[in-house]
Amino acid sequence: MILCHLALSTFLFNLVASSQSSTVNLGYARYQGQALPDGITQWLGIRYAAAPVGPLRFSAPQDPETVEGVQDASQHGPLCIPTGEYPAPAGTSEDCLFLDLYVPSAARNATKLPVFVWIQGGGFNQNSSPNYNGTGLIKASEMAILVVTFNYRVGPYGFLSGAEVSKGGSVNNGLKDQIKVLKWVKTHISKFGGDPNHVVIGGDSAGAASITLLLSAYGGEDQGLFHAAAAESQSFGPVWTIDQSQFAYNNLVIRTGCASDPDTLACLRSLDTASIQRVNINTPLPSAQTPPLYMYGPVVDGDLVPDYTYRLFQQGKFIKVPVIFGDDTDEGTIFVPKNTSTVGEADTFIQSQFPNIRFDHLAKLNHWYLSENQTRQFPDSKPYWRPTSNAYGEIRYICPGIYLSSVFASAGVNSWNYHYAVEDPAAEASGEGVSHTVEENAIWGPQYVSGTPPASYFTSNAPIVPVMQGYWTSFIKFFDPNPHRYLGSPEWKTWGDGKDYRRIFIQTNNTAMETVPMAQRERCDYWTSIGTDLSQ
């Protein structure tokens, strides 16, 4: 009996101690996390900004309100509402500004571990890679890093623009949400054992586009919020001015019935979420024929985003920190309609994404990518799907990555580039190939992502996971992908002095350095030269 009481007392003591050690006081709230048996403590659903609803809709993120008592941090917060889905999907809400932390349980205030802040993708119109679990990366780091993930506003909730929004609210709010998270990290991460002076930002697709926008934010003003960056499939979509974005505001006002209101912005703010979501749809960009893949996105506001991305980097207006850029072999396949049957349909798709593209630009594109000898037939697809995918993949993703690697190298900053070519049998058979952001499964570990990984990442391609995790955790820890790389992995050499074009070719059991082929360099030089013409 005495032994039973002792055992119960020990259990209760440990339970209380665990609860106390996983409760963190942020000043505005206290959050209790979960200490898991695998040595990781997680805090899920921490509010980092006030609910952006009512009068705060279309406004910059504000500090969270103070709440009393200990808040449970065992559930992810709701995701932000996407464009083009009505009713709003389950698990989404306008009140979505929450973050998650994954921390080695042994971390204490004095440990000052490196911090990895992940920015998810989704074309700035959805949170497409939410709730990734940092456990795999932390274990690969030998329990020596912290991981932060978060949601940010997308679609009109995060990127509505126009004169009325600029005057009565704020533009680029999705980007400002990201900056709010980085400021939160700087203020609070030491309470979790993290080092606010050793923060690496990472992201995929629109998350990687966000990295390029944060690197060039305010013309490259370094606020000390991050110290290295790893961008996967950096995306250079068109960036409009506030005036050019007015059409989207006007269309939303008309569709919601707010056109006759003397204060159209106040009218939009007074609507319930369902009334906005019912008409939150993609429409063609001015001078385009069909709706783009992604309608809303960052705008040139003369402040946070002072100019086109290409131009800012051309002018040297960016933060000089160590960087990784890179892409997948078949970046465009998941975007281009599989029924693309003719050159005309291919050009129409490209023009719908880049409405400023000219006939002479399309002539180059058609010559390089769309000749008949480049057509390929795959199941359930038409012959111009893959050639159009190759064009779109280079214009939007691959060529910007090559360009950025050269810019950083020319500025004397350590710059690494990768070509991810890990082939999955099912994806190769379907024609999707090594598709956009598939490397996330290797970086995080296939069991820790929120989507469905290719089956081969648990079997034939399982060996690539520790290789990628070794490079990434090394970069997070040392701002260099090599010191902590996986045993037997080749040295990942820098891009070079701007002329070498060295990148790492990543393939299961076949990873090695390679040089960008001259034909791809020629194409990318051209797309880079007209990048500002395309509003990139």
Side-chain angles (χ1 to χ4, degrees):
M1 191 69 173
I2 294 175
L3 290 175
C4 288
H5 280 299
L6 285 172
L8 179 61
S9 299
T10 301
F11 171 77
L12 292 174
F13 175 81
N14 289 336
L15 185 65
V16 171
S18 173
S19 173
Q20 289 174 342
S21 66
S22 61
T23 300
V24 175
N25 189 348
L26 302 176
Y28 62 89
R30 288 182 292 158
Y31 282 94
Q32 182 178 320
Q34 290 180 298
L36 303 177
D38 60 1
I40 306 291
T41 298
Q42 60 185 28
W43 286 262
L44 309 179
I46 291 181
R47 182 182 294 280
Y48 69 84
V53 298
L56 294 184
R57 180 185 281 167
F58 312 129
S59 295
Q62 304 297 308
D63 290 339
E65 296 181 359
T66 300
V67 293
E68 299 298 326
V70 176
Q71 310 301 306
D72 175 64
S74 62
Q75 300 291 326
H76 299 292
L79 305 180
C80 299
I81 298 175
T83 295
E85 295 189 46
Y86 178 78
T92 67
S93 170
E94 269 196 271
D95 183 8
C96 61
L97 301 185
F98 298 94
L99 60 79
D100 299 337
L101 287 105
Y102 300 87
V103 180
S105 298
R108 293 293 183 268
N109 289 2
T111 53
K112 292 190 175 181
L113 295 179
V115 182
F116 183 53
V117 179
W118 167 255
I119 309 173
Q120 61 179 305
F124 297 114
N125 282 261
Q126 61 178 324
N127 292 161
S128 69
S129 43
N131 303 336
Y132 278 15
N133 189 316
T135 297
L137 279 169
I138 292 173
K139 289 183 176 180
S141 76
E142 298 178 348
M143 310 300 275
I145 64 171
L146 276 62
V147 176
V148 180
T149 64
F150 65 95
N151 304 328
Y152 58 93
R153 286 173 287 175
V154 291
Y157 308 99
F159 293 100
L160 189 66
S161 186
E164 294 85 350
V165 181
S166 181
K167 180 180 178 181
S170 172
V171 299
N172 288 321
N173 291 318
L175 289 179
K176 291 173 181 176
D177 293 344
Q178 298 172 10
I179 293 172
K180 188 74 171 174
V181 167
L182 293 173
K183 290 181 175 178
W184 184 98
V185 167
K186 192 164 189 67
T187 300
H188 297 294
I189 204 66
S190 62
K191 299 167 187 173
F192 299 87
D195 185 352
N197 296 312
H198 189 128
V199 176
V200 177
I201 56 175
D204 71 299
S205 194
S210 299
I211 288 174
T212 66
L213 291 160
L214 293 171
L215 284 165
S216 57
Y218 305 108
E221 176 188 339
D222 191 349
Q223 299 181 0
L225 298 178
F226 59 90
H227 312 94
E232 304 164 41
S233 300
Q234 56 294 303
S235 169
F236 275 30
V239 183
W240 311 119
T241 65
I242 291 175
D243 289 344
Q244 290 170 331
S245 302
Q246 188 69 44
F247 82 97
Y249 179 85
N250 293 349
N251 288 351
L252 189 62
V253 166
I254 292 168
R255 290 198 298 267
T256 54
C258 285
S260 59
D261 197 288
D263 188 338
T264 56
L265 183 63
C267 180
L268 288 178
R269 282 173 164 159
S270 71
L271 298 173
D272 60 30
T273 304
S275 298
I276 290 182
Q277 196 61 15
R278 185 178 293 110
V279 296
N280 180 14
I281 58 175
N282 276 357
T283 61
L285 300 170
S287 76
Q289 301 180 62
T290 59
L293 294 164
Y294 306 110
M295 178 176 164
Y296 294 98
V299 296
V300 175
D301 60 9
D303 183 35
L304 172 56
V305 183
D307 207 336
Y308 296 132
T309 310
Y310 264 125
R311 186 172 290 154
L312 289 169
F313 282 94
Q314 287 166 357
Q315 295 174 348
K317 296 178 179 178
F318 59 91
I319 300 171
K320 280 64 172 186
V321 294
V323 287
I324 289 175
F325 299 108
D327 298 276
D328 307 284
T329 303
D330 304 299
E331 282 284 354
T333 52
I334 66 171
F335 300 108
V336 177
K338 286 195 169 185
N339 62 354
T340 303
S341 303
T342 66
V343 171
E345 290 174 356
D347 287 349
T348 298
F349 171 81
I350 296 294
Q351 187 227 21
S352 295
Q353 318 312 317
F354 299 98
N356 293 342
I357 198 165
R358 303 195 308 254
F359 292 158
D360 57 318
H361 302 152
L362 288 172
K364 281 277 193 182
L365 184 149
N366 294 345
H367 168 70
W368 276 328
Y369 304 97
L370 302 182
S371 60
E372 285 190 13
N373 64 353
Q374 293 173 305
T375 60
R376 296 182 65 186
Q377 195 69 53
F378 287 95
D380 304 315
S381 69
K382 298 300 182 180
Y384 282 91
W385 166 51
R386 279 295 297 262
T388 311
S389 300
N390 294 338
Y392 183 66
E394 287 198 336
I395 296 169
R396 184 153 188 161
Y397 301 105
I398 296 173
C399 294
I402 288 173
Y403 172 74
L404 290 169
S405 294
S406 292
V407 166
F408 275 84
S410 297
V413 181
N414 282 338
S415 170
W416 292 268
N417 189 287
Y418 69 88
H419 169 196
Y420 191 77
V422 175
E423 297 180 353
D424 172 73
E428 292 299 316
S430 73
E432 288 196 354
V434 188
S435 58
H436 181 65
T437 73
V438 71
E439 73 272 35
E440 290 177 337
N441 298 288
I443 292 171
W444 291 82
Q447 68 271 50
Y448 296 113
V449 299
S450 51
T452 303
S456 65
Y457 279 73
F458 295 99
T459 56
S460 60
N461 282 319
I464 205 63
V465 175
V467 172
M468 290 296 279
Q469 290 188 331
Y471 286 133
W472 250 253
T473 55
S474 181
F475 186 73
I476 294 165
K477 292 169 70 173
F478 303 108
F479 306 148
D480 183 327
N482 292 297
H484 184 70
R485 70 182 187 271
Y486 186 64
L487 185 66
S489 301
E491 180 187 357
W492 185 351
K493 296 179 182 178
T494 58
W495 183 252
D497 63 3
K499 300 178 182 178
D500 296 331
Y501 285 75
R502 292 187 306 228
R503 64 187 180 189
I504 196 166
F505 174 85
I506 299 171
Q507 199 170 69
T508 304
N509 302 321
N510 192 34
T511 297
M513 295 300 300
E514 70 171 8
T515 301
V516 178
M518 285 302 300
Q520 187 172 61
R521 289 171 59 174
E522 177 188 352
R523 296 191 299 270
C524 286
D525 285 347
Y526 176 74
W527 295 124
T528 296
S529 74
I530 67 165
T532 54
D533 294 338
L534 301 184
S535 301
Q536 291 176 289

